[in-house]
Amino acid sequence: MPMTTFSKTMLFTCFFIIISLFNSSHAQNQNCSTHPLFTNNLYKACNNLPTLNSFIHWNYHQLNHTVDIAYRHTGVTTSNWIAWCLNPSGGGMIGSQCLIAYRNSTGLLHAYTSSITSYATRLEEGSLSFRVPKIGAEFNDNEMIIYASLELPNGTTKFTEVWQYGPVSGDTLGMHPTDNDNMRSIATIDFATAQAADATTTTSAGTQLGSRNRKKNVHGVMNVVSWGILMPVGAIAARYLKVFKSANPTWFYIHVTCQSSAYIVGVAGFVTGMKLGRSSPGVVHTIHRNIGITLFVIGTLQAFAILLRPKPEHKYRKYWNAYHQAMGYSVLILSIINILDGLDILDPGKKWKRAYIGVLIFLGSIVVVLEAFTWYIVLKKKRQSAIASNESSIGA
């Protein structure tokens, strides 16, 4: 790189850092009482939210149980969306009823409502569980503000509140950052008493959210490893290794070890998923849950079927084999479907879904090669058997 180009790059970088630090300092120095747009006591109550340079102003009207709010998010650009949400169920992100604002592709600020039902949300526009008679937004000096009137639900004034921001490309809202501040943007608010959660409560809520996220990740990893990897490997061993005399009975032990390990880990993943469901009231992933329950039931039946397995020479063994194989292939198909659905719900990033699809392609390639080789061995044995039979009949 030429020295002049390098110098220009360094100069630009330093300038950018200085401007960023200035904007960050400017945003952090703001608070409820010093903001120029709200010094006229337009809103009687205000809280400095603990993360993301955000503030919530409001007026609570006890007579009709409504609240007028102004949510301010500083240090953002026209390439960002912002969101402020209430969660009537008391959880974190899932179940939140959100107010969203961003500058759309026509250059106009667009404010709307969105209900969050999964981690794979794209913040689609839709109605909330309570009425929002008015909503609007404005953008000034790297600060975006959402104005709205809310009809508070459940006859209460105390809620969990969540706030976020993320990138915008055209009219597509991207995923928010996953930095510490973004993962701790949760608190409680009481509109009637003009109180927000203290540091202990906020930390506790953030800790609970972090704990749920860890449980979701553990649930996903256990099910991918068990149903998504160990089960197919065990099935491959059972189908293809048995054609080799030298692999008998090794293939059986490999099959049993893989399937038993997969079932044990899978049950742990199933229990974790059920606990997550109970800790997230109002959030139901019906298809994912039903397939998970079906897999658990079939897996349990397969485990008990091993105890009832007839001996190879028994007349009912062929029926047992047909049942065992049909249930096994059903588990494989349902597992793949449910894991892909689970990755969409968890939304850990496209690379993880691509990684699992890569594992499936790799296992599928092995199956294609072994299937062709198995048929080659089987047909070869048939030809040899036919030749031996012909030679025997000729000799006779």
Side-chain angles (χ1 to χ4, degrees):
M1 178 184 293
M3 191 61 185
T4 54
T5 304
F6 178 80
S7 301
K8 291 178 180 178
T9 302
M10 290 299 296
L11 182 63
F12 175 79
T13 302
C14 292
F15 177 77
F16 179 79
I17 292 173
I18 292 171
I19 292 299
S20 298
L21 290 173
F22 173 79
N23 286 338
S24 176
S25 175
H26 176 67
Q28 291 174 357
N29 288 333
Q30 292 191 44
N31 56 50
C32 286
S33 61
T34 61
H35 192 278
L37 294 179
F38 295 90
T39 55
N40 58 356
N41 294 321
L42 184 63
Y43 296 93
K44 295 179 180 179
C46 176
N47 282 330
N48 301 321
L49 297 176
T51 64
L52 301 183
N53 299 321
S54 299
F55 312 86
I56 180 71
H57 304 254
W58 75 90
N59 283 326
Y60 172 62
H61 308 287
Q62 185 175 6
L63 187 61
N64 56 6
H65 197 54
T66 63
V67 62
D68 299 320
I69 68 103
Y71 168 69
R72 300 194 290 116
H73 197 124
T74 64
V76 295
T77 71
T78 54
S79 296
N80 290 121
W81 57 264
I82 66 169
W84 179 83
C85 320
L86 291 182
N87 194 328
S89 65
M93 175 180 171
I94 303 300
S96 291
Q97 308 296 299
C98 299
L99 311 178
I100 315 289
Y102 73 100
R103 178 164 287 180
N104 61 26
S105 57
T106 65
L108 299 176
L109 277 177
H110 179 47
Y112 65 95
T113 59
S114 179
S115 180
I116 310 300
T117 58
S118 78
Y119 282 97
T121 181
R122 294 295 181 265
L123 299 177
E124 297 89 348
E125 188 166 351
S127 58
L128 305 185
S129 61
F130 50 85
R131 289 191 68 243
V132 182
K134 296 179 182 179
I135 185 170
E138 68 177 32
F139 180 85
N140 289 295
D141 193 23
N142 293 102
E143 177 180 76
M144 199 173 295
I145 306 173
I146 298 176
Y147 300 96
S149 295
L150 315 177
E151 294 183 1
L152 297 178
N154 304 332
T156 184
T157 59
K158 188 174 182 180
F159 301 90
T160 298
E161 61 176 336
V162 181
W163 59 99
Q164 272 298 349
Y165 80 102
V168 174
S169 178
D171 290 313
T172 302
L173 279 59
M175 181 178 177
H176 66 76
T178 55
D179 297 335
N180 287 336
D181 282 350
N182 293 85
M183 303 309 292
R184 292 189 293 109
S185 56
I186 180 173
T188 59
I189 186 170
D190 193 327
F191 293 111
T193 62
Q195 292 179 350
D198 57 22
T200 303
T201 306
T202 302
T203 302
S204 175
T207 301
Q208 291 176 3
L209 179 60
S211 176
R212 278 197 295 271
N213 287 335
R214 284 192 296 273
K215 288 179 181 178
K216 287 170 184 172
N217 291 334
V218 169
H219 169 73
V221 170
M222 286 194 295
N223 284 291
V224 168
V225 171
S226 58
W227 304 104
I229 297 177
L230 287 175
M231 280 286 183
V233 170
I236 290 172
R239 174 160 177 79
Y240 299 111
L241 293 185
K242 66 171 63 176
V243 300
F244 302 99
K245 290 184 179 180
S246 59
N248 191 24
T250 304
W251 70 265
F252 177 76
Y253 296 122
I254 294 175
H255 175 68
V256 171
T257 300
C258 286
Q259 306 307 76
S260 300
S261 301
Y263 177 72
I264 293 170
V265 178
V267 168
F270 173 77
V271 171
T272 305
M274 296 299 289
K275 287 183 177 179
L276 285 170
R278 285 196 295 269
S279 65
S280 304
V283 180
V284 180
H285 304 291
T286 305
I287 296 176
H288 187 72
R289 181 196 62 186
N290 291 344
I291 294 178
I293 293 173
T294 303
L295 285 171
F296 172 73
V297 171
I298 295 177
T300 302
L301 291 175
Q302 287 284 72
F304 281 107
I306 294 295
L307 303 176
L308 302 175
R309 181 169 58 104
K311 294 182 178 180
E313 63 275 8
H314 197 283
K315 64 179 181 179
Y316 291 124
R317 178 59 180 261
K318 62 180 180 181
Y319 301 111
W320 185 92
N321 286 340
Y323 159 81
H324 186 65
Q325 291 174 7
M327 293 295 100
Y329 290 130
S330 298
V331 165
L332 294 180
I333 295 171
L334 290 175
S335 296
I336 293 172
I337 293 173
N338 218 31
I339 288 171
L340 293 175
D341 183 54
L343 288 171
D344 287 336
I345 294 170
L346 191 59
D347 197 20
K350 292 183 179 179
K351 64 180 180 180
W352 296 107
K353 188 172 184 178
R354 290 170 181 167
Y356 179 63
I357 292 174
V359 170
L360 293 179
I361 293 173
F362 174 72
L363 293 176
S365 301
I366 292 176
V367 167
V368 170
V369 172
L370 290 178
E371 185 73 22
F373 188 71
T374 299
W375 277 105
Y376 169 76
I377 295 295
V378 170
L379 293 176
K380 182 179 178 180
K381 287 182 178 180
K382 284 185 177 181
R383 284 197 300 268
Q384 291 175 344
S385 177
I387 292 172
S389 177
N390 289 335
E391 289 177 350
S392 176
S393 61
I394 292 173

